[in-house]
Amino acid sequence: MDGGGKSMPAKDTTKLLKQLRQVMKGTKNMREAIQALIVPSGDNHQSEYIAPCDCRREFLSGFDGSAGTAIVTQEHAAMWTDGRYFLQASQQMDSNWTLMKLGLKTTPSQEDWLIKVLPEASKVGADPFILAADQWKNLSKAMRNAGHTLVPVKENLVDLIWEDQPCRPCEPLLVMDLSYTGMSWQDKIVQQRAKMAEKHASWLVITALDEIAWLFNLRGSEIQYNPVFFAFAIIGLNSIRLFINETHMEDPVVREHLQLDCDTAPSFKIQVLPYESVLSELQTICSNMTAKDKVWISSKASHALCEAVPKMLRLQTVYTPICIAKALKNAVEVKGMRRAHVKDAVALCELFAWLEEEVPKGNITELDASDKAAEFRRQQEKFVDLSFSTISSTGPNAAIIHYKPTPHTNRTLSMNEVYLLDSGAQFRDGTTDVTRTMHFGTPTEYEKECFTYVLKGHICLGSAIFPSGTKGHLLDSFARATLWDHGLDYLHGTGHGVGSFLNVHEGPCSISYKSFTDEPLETGMVLSDEPGYYEDGSFGIRIESIMLVVPIQTKYRYLNRESLTFEALTLVPIQTKMINVELLTRKERDWINLYHQSCREVIGVELEKQGRLQALQWLIKETQPIAD
Amino acid sequence: MDGGGKSMPAKDTTKLLKQLRQVMKGTKNMREAIQALIVPSGDNHQSEYIAPCDCRREFLSGFDGSAGTAIVTQEHAAMWTDGRYFLQASQQMDSNWTLMKLGLKTTPSQEDWLIKVLPEASKVGADPFILAADQWKNLSKAMRNAGHTLVPVKENLVDLIWEDQPCRPCEPLLVMDLSYTGMSWQDKIVQQRAKMAEKHASWLVITALDEIAWLFNLRGSEIQYNPVFFAFAIIGLNSIRLFINETHMEDPVVREHLQLDCDTAPSFKIQVLPYESVLSELQTICSNMTAKDKVWISSKASHALCEAVPKMLRLQTVYTPICIAKALKNAVEVKGMRRAHVKDAVALCELFAWLEEEVPKGNITELDASDKAAEFRRQQEKFVDLSFSTISSTGPNAAIIHYKPTPHTNRTLSMNEVYLLDSGAQFRDGTTDVTRTMHFGTPTEYEKECFTYVLKGHICLGSAIFPSGTKGHLLDSFARATLWDHGLDYLHGTGHGVGSFLNVHEGPCSISYKSFTDEPLETGMVLSDEPGYYEDGSFGIRIESIMLVVPIQTKYRYLNRESLTFEALTLVPIQTKMINVELLTRKERDWINLYHQSCREVIGVELEKQGRLQALQWLIKETQPIAD
């Protein structure tokens, strides 16, 4: 596991693994020994980003990438992660660990590896609160087919050996009034109960943190970049149960918002219960139900909670109705998203104007640029946080799709390399996420060629017209067609849903060849359009804007169906220096010119208002029309 | 159920339903009564086309469309079918039946309807040999969730009351030698056993008729349009069991081909067993297995056979490895397919030249044109049969996607209407399927506009370049993009796999927004490219060619992946009179001209060789290049 001169020392995990293997043999907490323990990333809510107290896989292995699953047996310790993290994982993990490189043909799946290394009729343990029900089902089936058993481990075994495990955070909640949400939480409850009635469901279990935040018009700061707080909720037709650290409820503003002390109608009376009691409460609810009632729960919720609902009573869908409702931004949310993107564009215009001045001096690193972007964003009204870890990357670093600059990898921006910045913010009125790729000197013809193919894909998807109800994965190839024509491609999806001052990645819509379960696109959904091209060891290109799904009038109207298209919320110039104009069609040139005209008009006014004149000059320069 | 003056009388089903309801109450053959019986289309092999003895739904209801499911309870009789058959079903069924129009929002699903009409804790019966395992699983779950049970009915109840049910056909088999198949059946067995070994499967159960025909290099004529015969097969690592009417094995040519009388290696010795014994034989095999062995069976095989394999022993995939191998045509098969398409094009050139002469006289009907097409095809070498029921449709009839002319609907071709012909043949060397849409007078501007949009979609898909391993459903939108731009669309998939002198529709590949389980596209697969546009009551357009997936050199080669594209096997002119040339890009004009050049060169030579000079003249006229 040689990581080169600059690498950090790997974590010594010998003692930890010994302790873990001891508890795996069976303790007072467990009925029987397990022969393997699966330690995935994740928390009780199947969050993409997790709090420090939930970083169990990192604690155990030392590997702190965002994706990875550890499996420990009495003999082996193995870590599965993807191409983004091969180098990092090999540097951060000591020789107790075997790195399993996902995506290589020679790498066994977790299932196949387990089947190979386990003694006959083994028990494989996992925390049923952390594995989602659909993951559990698949893994359990594979184990059963091989004569093993996947068993739920009641107490998390890593927690047992984690002496200085941080506490679950408990930060003040933020109340979102109607001027941000456009809909009261009571109206949202009414809306959800109507959906429940349609499906004959008497109960709706909500486990995703952004769904709870959206439903109750509350935000938190308990997970970095995601304005959420730890809670579960169970909505009945006449009751509301909120499972949350009760400290939150000491705040009078929150009490007032949730009407805890009012004489409200019983069906809007929120019962506040301890966070930890959700499982037992759900079990109690189920034990009092008749066969005609249903409990609606997502197959992406934890196995523990899904299993608590007897099969006969379970209505399981991939997405909860809240997830779908949350994706359809209302007029107030759209207005907020627009405003957030204007502020975000102001910050980026300032940053790029500044970089153009400073980069030639040769002193600006990826981290400097990242810090400066954050500084400019912080100056904007209602700024709360970044929406994800900034990807500030130049030269070969930009070929690493989820690169995050560190002091060890930090590279100086130069006149000779392509620079890629993928960054975003949480404003109280909206969430942003934008990528621009640029060159501060003279790009090579090849770099321009690749950039132009990516741009053509970005435009093709961004200007697509499609019938209402089309699934996003059916549009993914539009963004790839020109790259494919030249034998090029990128190995990530093209678009993800974006929350409204919520998670920067949200379901149920997306634009990706990898997804089959995405919900149809509808007016009001917000997604990214971000094709790219990456050449290992050399450069990386990505062009990403956030798009709002909007209706469009077409010449004809087959079956009276509505047609939809995208409107860019992101209004940040796309560097024309990187474009080989000869490769564009007239339509594409028009698109670029029209886009830049919008940037100039909308962001120009705001830059002037804010008195940011250097950035304004930069904007005007960068939005000159491309000549025919 | 008023079908207008021309309709046939509906079948009187009062007596039949009474008899059926009697046997549903429980007979000597059944342990207990059932409250509902599901009678789908289909046979023991989940065939798309079925033999007369398997037309149970038609026998029971009178409705003979290709798709439909009947459900009978003691009180109700209901038929679910799709938009193609609303009129036909309403005409063919008497007032005992309720027509359930699939695709309308107000139409209940079979599950919801059953749940609504059934008494509590009902038993719903179905023939487990006819429902596929995946269908059974979904239906069974829905019933269980509603407190009912789906029960397998051992003996088909419709057969019990069907007095003059035809016998299962038993027609002579056709031996396919290496000059057609390119691979001996023994080599195919070796290939399959290698796939089985990879998956640790000791047994492979084959139930699809085209898979059995392909594997053994045999063809039959027991189902119209599909050159297959009734059989099951179970392949072991050292044994081969063929379940088939033993009469077939009296033919010495077949005996020789299968080496039944030779002293072959035991692992290539075919055990011939009665068709009916497949279930008991599979049960015996399973009862002698250890937990380490697996039986590989498709989830599209019957519930009865899947259930016979205990869960622990079952390796279930959507497609069998035979289905996948069959789709990858080898060099000999490709050569045969090319030859078949040349002959098919000759027949169609003759037909269209003839129609151009005859239609102005005003005496040619849809049925005449259909008959004439069959006549010209029959004149070609190695013609066996049509590959499906010819869709010969003019004017409003062409808007009915799966239209089949009958004496009642037969319309005269005219100078004022668009004519659509979708037809194909089974030649011993290959299967064809082609649609051309044309006008014998002067099309309206609107018809030309729509035709041109469809053509642009056909070209966009047909000339797409994509990485090896791309799934077909990701290309479907290419064929729709221009239609979508103008608010138009078509509600069917764009492409289906085509067999090699086998079924005209075959898996596992397709190009359809409806499919998620299609296998990735690879060199050697053969698919249709058939976008369309249909305006109810007015006209219909479809342009369909059969395409071979071929490798293509691209400028770059990302990750060293191969790029693929399509090569048209169908070489029949696309009527330029229907094109609004102004709507085409230069690339599209070039595509058309190049395509017509191929038609002229390849088919021209053949027409000359066959001395079909009138058709040759027509071909030359129709393949004039489009001017700039």
Side-chain angles (χ1 to χ4, degrees):
Chain A
M1 296 243 175
D2 187 77
K6 273 183 162 181
S7 69
M8 297 162 286
K11 174 165 183 169
D12 180 353
T13 62
T14 304
K15 193 176 148 211
L16 276 180
L17 285 171
K18 198 175 158 194
Q19 289 177 320
L20 186 68
R21 285 172 175 142
Q22 192 53 46
V23 296
M24 283 166 61
K25 286 182 181 163
T27 69
K28 60 182 180 335
N29 299 296
M30 297 167 59
R31 273 188 295 274
E32 48 193 341
I34 54 172
Q35 282 70 49
L37 179 70
I38 303 179
V39 183
S41 313
D43 64 11
N44 297 337
H45 309 272
Q46 290 61 55
S47 306
E48 183 188 4
Y49 295 73
I50 55 179
C53 61
D54 290 317
C55 296
R56 298 179 180 90
R57 186 253 301 150
E58 175 186 345
F59 163 75
L60 187 65
S61 68
F63 166 53
D64 70 357
S66 72
T69 297
I71 305 185
V72 177
T73 68
Q74 289 298 335
E75 308 277 315
H76 305 277
M79 176 72 70
W80 281 257
T81 190
D82 61 69
R84 294 176 282 169
Y85 295 118
F86 291 166
L87 183 66
Q88 179 180 333
S90 71
Q91 288 172 347
Q92 293 181 328
M93 298 192 307
D94 68 10
S95 60
N96 288 305
W97 290 85
T98 307
L99 177 58
M100 296 294 186
K101 298 181 173 182
L102 284 171
L104 302 195
K105 283 203 173 163
T106 51
T107 304
S109 68
Q110 292 162 26
E111 290 85 346
D112 287 345
W113 182 82
L114 278 167
I115 291 165
K116 201 182 125 215
V117 305
L118 286 177
E120 266 186 42
S122 283
K123 300 224 181 300
V124 176
D127 183 337
F129 268 100
I130 291 181
L131 276 190
D134 51 6
Q135 294 174 306
W136 189 281
K137 192 175 164 189
N138 292 335
L139 188 57
S140 175
K141 191 175 164 187
M143 291 301 104
R144 196 173 53 238
N145 280 347
H148 307 301
T149 319
L150 180 64
V151 295
V153 181
K154 301 276 178 215
E155 191 166 6
N156 193 294
L157 299 193
V158 178
D159 293 357
L160 286 183
I161 62 164
W162 191 350
E163 283 174 14
D164 53 351
Q165 185 177 21
C167 292
R168 188 160 298 285
C170 183
E171 301 293 329
L173 299 184
L174 190 65
V175 166
M176 300 285 284
D177 66 35
L178 276 178
S179 71
Y180 292 109
T181 65
M183 195 175 191
S184 70
W185 65 260
Q186 289 90 340
D187 284 346
K188 290 181 179 177
I189 293 275
V190 170
Q191 186 193 45
Q192 291 304 311
R193 284 179 177 151
K195 293 277 171 202
M196 290 161 63
E198 267 177 34
K199 296 268 190 182
H200 310 288
S202 341
W203 302 95
L204 174 60
V205 181
I206 320 169
T207 66
L209 298 184
D210 61 336
E211 295 183 20
I212 293 167
W214 178 85
L215 180 64
F216 291 106
N217 290 338
L218 289 169
R219 297 294 185 269
S221 54
E222 296 177 5
I223 291 186
Q224 200 185 7
Y225 306 128
N226 294 170
V228 296
F229 53 92
F230 286 97
F232 295 98
I234 302 179
I235 310 302
L237 292 175
N238 293 298
S239 64
I240 304 168
R241 287 171 178 76
L242 179 61
F243 303 86
I244 192 166
N245 184 328
E246 281 160 309
T247 315
H248 284 305
M249 298 302 129
E250 289 163 12
D251 180 343
V253 180
V254 172
R255 295 193 74 79
E256 163 67 24
H257 172 73
L258 295 180
Q259 304 221 271
L260 295 185
D261 307 310
C262 306
D263 200 16
T264 61
S267 61
F268 293 106
K269 188 88 195 160
I270 298 177
Q271 264 182 278
V272 178
L273 297 162
Y275 176 77
E276 295 75 15
S277 68
V278 61
L279 178 60
S280 60
E281 188 70 18
L282 181 58
Q283 285 166 337
T284 306
I285 286 173
C286 292
S287 68
N288 290 324
M289 283 171 68
T290 72
K292 291 228 155 180
D293 292 337
K294 292 274 172 235
V295 178
W296 197 343
I297 187 165
S298 163
S299 56
K300 293 179 182 298
S302 70
H303 173 68
L305 290 180
C306 285
E307 269 301 292
V309 183
K311 243 183 173 179
M312 288 279 294
L313 302 179
R314 205 186 300 159
L315 170 64
Q316 198 155 41
T317 56
V318 179
Y319 303 107
T320 68
I322 295 188
C323 180
I324 294 170
K326 173 165 63 61
L328 299 166
K329 274 70 179 173
N330 63 37
V332 173
E333 290 169 319
V334 167
K335 199 176 151 203
M337 285 295 263
R338 278 189 206 282
R339 179 71 197 147
H341 281 81
V342 168
K343 293 182 289 189
D344 208 56
V346 164
L348 285 181
C349 287
E350 284 206 277
L351 174 75
F352 293 143
W354 180 82
L355 283 176
E356 240 177 45
E357 287 255 322
E358 297 298 323
V359 169
K361 300 178 190 163
N363 297 317
I364 304 297
T365 66
E366 294 166 342
L367 281 170
D368 295 332
S370 172
D371 291 346
K372 202 73 184 176
E375 182 188 321
F376 286 127
R377 282 193 164 103
R378 220 174 286 122
Q379 293 169 13
Q380 294 298 314
E381 271 184 359
K382 300 183 183 168
F383 174 88
V384 177
D385 195 356
L386 300 182
S387 59
F388 58 98
S389 174
T390 300
I391 300 172
S392 169
S393 54
T394 188
N397 286 344
I400 302 165
I401 296 170
H402 283 85
Y403 177 74
K404 174 184 171 176
T406 67
H408 296 287
T409 61
N410 198 15
R411 199 173 168 91
T412 302
L413 275 60
S414 90
M415 307 281 285
N416 305 315
E417 286 183 344
V418 174
Y419 174 67
L420 183 160
L421 179 75
D422 186 351
S423 60
Q426 297 288 2
F427 298 99
R428 275 197 72 158
D429 39 12
T431 302
T432 69
D433 177 3
V434 48
T435 309
R436 289 293 178 267
T437 304
M438 56 190 55
H439 203 291
F440 298 102
T442 307
T444 66
E445 279 307 310
Y446 180 58
E447 286 163 347
K448 286 171 67 176
E449 183 184 357
C450 294
F451 183 92
T452 308
Y453 295 155
V454 173
L455 174 62
K456 285 166 83 83
H458 178 84
I459 295 173
C460 186
L461 174 60
S463 59
I465 295 171
F466 49 90
S468 168
T470 301
K471 293 194 171 192
H473 72 262
L474 295 169
L475 307 181
D476 185 46
S477 300
F478 287 154
R480 298 177 199 273
T482 304
L483 286 162
W484 283 354
D485 281 346
H486 299 90
L488 306 179
D489 198 7
Y490 51 96
L491 298 186
H492 56 76
T494 307
H496 55 81
V498 179
S500 213
F501 183 31
L502 269 176
N503 296 357
V504 71
H505 299 156
E506 71 167 26
C509 55
S510 70
I511 299 171
S512 172
Y513 65 98
K514 295 176 187 173
S515 167
F516 303 121
T517 60
D518 52 324
E519 285 285 311
L521 298 180
E522 301 291 354
T523 299
M525 286 181 168
V526 174
L527 299 106
S528 69
D529 170 8
E530 49 178 315
Y533 176 66
Y534 311 93
E535 203 147 298
D536 266 5
S538 180
F539 67 91
I541 290 162
R542 185 161 60 252
I543 304 174
E544 175 188 23
S545 291
I546 301 305
M547 303 281 187
L548 174 68
V549 179
V550 293
I552 185 171
Q553 290 295 328
T554 47
K555 185 171 177 185
Y556 304 112
R557 200 175 159 102
Y558 180 59
L559 297 182
N560 204 26
R561 282 195 308 191
E562 185 172 58
S563 288
L564 303 176
T565 190
F566 298 106
E567 181 195 326
L569 297 177
T570 302
L571 292 173
V572 177
I574 293 165
Q575 198 181 39
T576 52
K577 187 204 282 184
M578 287 289 291
I579 302 174
N580 179 341
V581 178
E582 284 171 25
L583 298 176
L584 297 184
T585 62
R586 167 170 295 276
K587 229 176 112 183
E588 288 162 345
R589 280 202 299 271
D590 291 347
W591 188 95
I592 279 283
N593 289 338
L594 210 62
Y595 179 71
H596 278 158
Q597 192 185 321
S598 294
C599 293
R600 190 192 285 208
E601 285 172 7
V602 179
I603 310 305
V605 167
E606 184 69 20
L607 284 168
E608 225 174 332
K609 203 193 285 175
Q610 295 194 17
R612 300 180 191 263
L613 301 183
Q614 196 188 348
L616 178 60
Q617 274 189 338
W618 178 88
L619 174 70
I620 289 168
K621 174 171 72 70
E622 289 293 308
T623 54
Q624 296 297 328
I626 302 177
D628 267 5
Chain B
M1 297 245 173
D2 187 76
K6 274 182 162 183
S7 69
M8 296 162 287
K11 175 165 182 170
D12 181 352
T13 61
T14 305
K15 191 175 150 215
L16 277 180
L17 285 171
K18 197 174 161 197
Q19 289 176 321
L20 186 67
R21 286 173 175 140
Q22 192 54 45
V23 295
M24 284 167 61
K25 287 183 181 161
T27 69
K28 59 180 178 344
N29 298 294
M30 296 169 59
R31 274 189 294 273
E32 47 193 343
I34 54 172
Q35 282 70 49
L37 179 70
I38 303 179
V39 183
S41 311
D43 64 11
N44 298 338
H45 308 273
Q46 290 61 54
S47 305
E48 183 188 4
Y49 295 71
I50 54 179
C53 61
D54 290 317
C55 295
R56 298 178 180 91
R57 185 254 302 150
E58 174 186 345
F59 163 74
L60 188 65
S61 68
F63 165 53
D64 70 356
S66 73
T69 297
I71 305 186
V72 177
T73 68
Q74 289 298 334
E75 309 276 314
H76 306 277
M79 175 71 69
W80 281 257
T81 190
D82 61 69
R84 294 175 283 169
Y85 295 118
F86 291 165
L87 183 65
Q88 179 179 334
S90 70
Q91 290 172 346
Q92 294 181 326
M93 298 192 306
D94 68 11
S95 60
N96 289 304
W97 291 85
T98 307
L99 177 58
M100 297 293 185
K101 297 181 174 183
L102 283 171
L104 303 195
K105 283 201 173 164
T106 49
T107 304
S109 69
Q110 291 163 26
E111 290 85 345
D112 287 346
W113 182 81
L114 278 167
I115 291 166
K116 200 181 125 213
V117 304
L118 286 177
E120 265 185 43
S122 283
K123 300 225 180 298
V124 177
D127 183 336
F129 268 100
I130 291 181
L131 276 190
D134 50 6
Q135 295 174 307
W136 190 280
K137 193 176 163 189
N138 292 336
L139 188 57
S140 176
K141 192 175 164 187
M143 291 301 104
R144 197 173 52 237
N145 281 347
H148 306 302
T149 318
L150 180 64
V151 296
V153 181
K154 301 279 179 213
E155 191 165 8
N156 194 294
L157 300 193
V158 178
D159 293 358
L160 287 184
I161 61 164
W162 192 351
E163 282 175 18
D164 53 352
Q165 184 176 22
C167 292
R168 188 159 299 285
C170 182
E171 301 294 328
L173 299 184
L174 190 63
V175 165
M176 300 286 283
D177 67 35
L178 275 178
S179 70
Y180 292 110
T181 65
M183 194 174 191
S184 70
W185 65 260
Q186 290 90 340
D187 285 347
K188 290 181 179 178
I189 294 275
V190 170
Q191 185 193 45
Q192 291 304 312
R193 284 181 177 149
K195 293 278 170 201
M196 289 161 64
E198 267 177 34
K199 296 268 189 183
H200 311 287
S202 340
W203 302 95
L204 174 60
V205 182
I206 320 169
T207 66
L209 298 183
D210 60 337
E211 296 182 20
I212 293 167
W214 177 86
L215 180 65
F216 291 105
N217 290 337
L218 289 169
R219 297 293 185 271
S221 53
E222 295 176 3
I223 290 186
Q224 199 185 9
Y225 306 128
N226 293 171
V228 296
F229 53 92
F230 286 97
F232 296 98
I234 302 179
I235 311 301
L237 292 175
N238 293 297
S239 63
I240 304 168
R241 287 172 178 76
L242 179 61
F243 303 85
I244 191 167
N245 185 328
E246 280 160 309
T247 315
H248 285 303
M249 297 302 129
E250 291 165 11
D251 181 343
V253 181
V254 172
R255 295 193 73 81
E256 164 67 24
H257 172 72
L258 295 180
Q259 304 223 269
L260 294 185
D261 307 310
C262 305
D263 199 16
T264 61
S267 60
F268 293 106
K269 188 87 195 160
I270 297 177
Q271 265 182 275
V272 178
L273 297 162
Y275 175 77
E276 294 74 16
S277 69
V278 61
L279 178 60
S280 61
E281 188 69 17
L282 181 58
Q283 285 164 336
T284 306
I285 287 174
C286 292
S287 68
N288 290 323
M289 282 173 68
T290 71
K292 290 229 155 180
D293 293 337
K294 293 274 172 232
V295 178
W296 197 343
I297 187 164
S298 162
S299 56
K300 294 179 182 298
S302 70
H303 172 69
L305 290 179
C306 286
E307 267 302 291
V309 183
K311 244 185 173 176
M312 289 278 297
L313 302 178
R314 205 185 300 159
L315 170 63
Q316 198 155 42
T317 56
V318 178
Y319 303 106
T320 68
I322 294 187
C323 180
I324 294 170
K326 174 167 61 63
L328 299 166
K329 273 70 179 173
N330 63 36
V332 173
E333 289 170 320
V334 167
K335 201 177 149 201
M337 284 295 263
R338 279 188 206 284
R339 181 69 198 147
H341 282 81
V342 168
K343 293 182 288 189
D344 208 58
V346 164
L348 285 181
C349 287
E350 285 206 274
L351 174 75
F352 294 143
W354 181 82
L355 283 177
E356 240 176 46
E357 288 253 322
E358 298 299 323
V359 169
K361 300 177 191 161
N363 298 318
I364 304 297
T365 65
E366 293 166 340
L367 281 169
D368 295 331
S370 172
D371 291 346
K372 200 74 184 178
E375 181 187 323
F376 285 128
R377 281 192 164 103
R378 220 174 286 121
Q379 292 170 13
Q380 294 299 315
E381 272 185 357
K382 298 181 185 171
F383 173 89
V384 178
D385 196 357
L386 300 182
S387 59
F388 57 98
S389 172
T390 299
I391 300 172
S392 170
S393 54
T394 187
N397 286 345
I400 302 165
I401 296 171
H402 283 85
Y403 177 74
K404 176 183 169 174
T406 67
H408 297 285
T409 61
N410 199 15
R411 198 172 170 93
T412 301
L413 276 60
S414 90
M415 305 283 285
N416 305 315
E417 287 182 343
V418 174
Y419 174 66
L420 184 158
L421 179 74
D422 185 352
S423 61
Q426 297 288 2
F427 297 99
R428 276 198 71 160
D429 39 13
T431 303
T432 68
D433 177 2
V434 46
T435 310
R436 289 294 179 265
T437 304
M438 57 190 54
H439 203 291
F440 298 101
T442 306
T444 67
E445 279 308 309
Y446 179 59
E447 286 163 347
K448 285 171 69 176
E449 182 185 358
C450 294
F451 183 91
T452 308
Y453 296 154
V454 173
L455 174 63
K456 285 166 83 85
H458 178 83
I459 295 173
C460 186
L461 174 61
S463 59
I465 295 172
F466 50 90
S468 167
T470 301
K471 293 194 170 193
H473 71 263
L474 295 169
L475 306 181
D476 184 47
S477 301
F478 287 153
R480 299 177 199 272
T482 303
L483 286 162
W484 283 354
D485 281 345
H486 300 90
L488 306 179
D489 198 7
Y490 51 97
L491 298 186
H492 57 75
T494 307
H496 55 81
V498 179
S500 213
F501 183 31
L502 268 174
N503 296 356
V504 72
H505 298 156
E506 70 168 26
C509 54
S510 70
I511 299 172
S512 173
Y513 65 98
K514 295 177 189 173
S515 166
F516 303 120
T517 59
D518 52 326
E519 285 285 312
L521 297 181
E522 302 291 354
T523 298
M525 287 179 167
V526 173
L527 299 107
S528 68
D529 170 9
E530 48 178 317
Y533 176 67
Y534 311 93
E535 203 148 299
D536 267 6
S538 179
F539 66 91
I541 291 163
R542 185 161 62 253
I543 304 174
E544 175 188 24
S545 290
I546 302 305
M547 303 281 185
L548 173 68
V549 179
V550 293
I552 186 171
Q553 290 296 327
T554 46
K555 185 171 179 185
Y556 304 112
R557 200 175 159 103
Y558 180 60
L559 298 180
N560 204 25
R561 281 195 308 192
E562 185 172 58
S563 288
L564 303 175
T565 189
F566 297 106
E567 181 194 326
L569 296 177
T570 302
L571 293 172
V572 177
I574 293 165
Q575 197 181 40
T576 52
K577 186 204 283 184
M578 286 292 290
I579 302 174
N580 179 340
V581 179
E582 285 171 24
L583 298 177
L584 297 185
T585 63
R586 166 170 296 272
K587 230 176 112 182
E588 289 162 346
R589 281 200 300 270
D590 291 348
W591 187 95
I592 279 282
N593 288 339
L594 210 63
Y595 179 72
H596 279 157
Q597 193 185 320
S598 293
C599 293
R600 191 192 286 204
E601 286 171 8
V602 179
I603 308 306
V605 168
E606 184 69 21
L607 284 168
E608 226 176 329
K609 202 193 287 175
Q610 296 194 18
R612 301 180 191 263
L613 300 183
Q614 195 187 348
L616 177 61
Q617 274 190 339
W618 178 87
L619 175 69
I620 289 169
K621 174 171 72 70
E622 289 294 307
T623 53
Q624 296 297 326
I626 301 177
D628 267 5

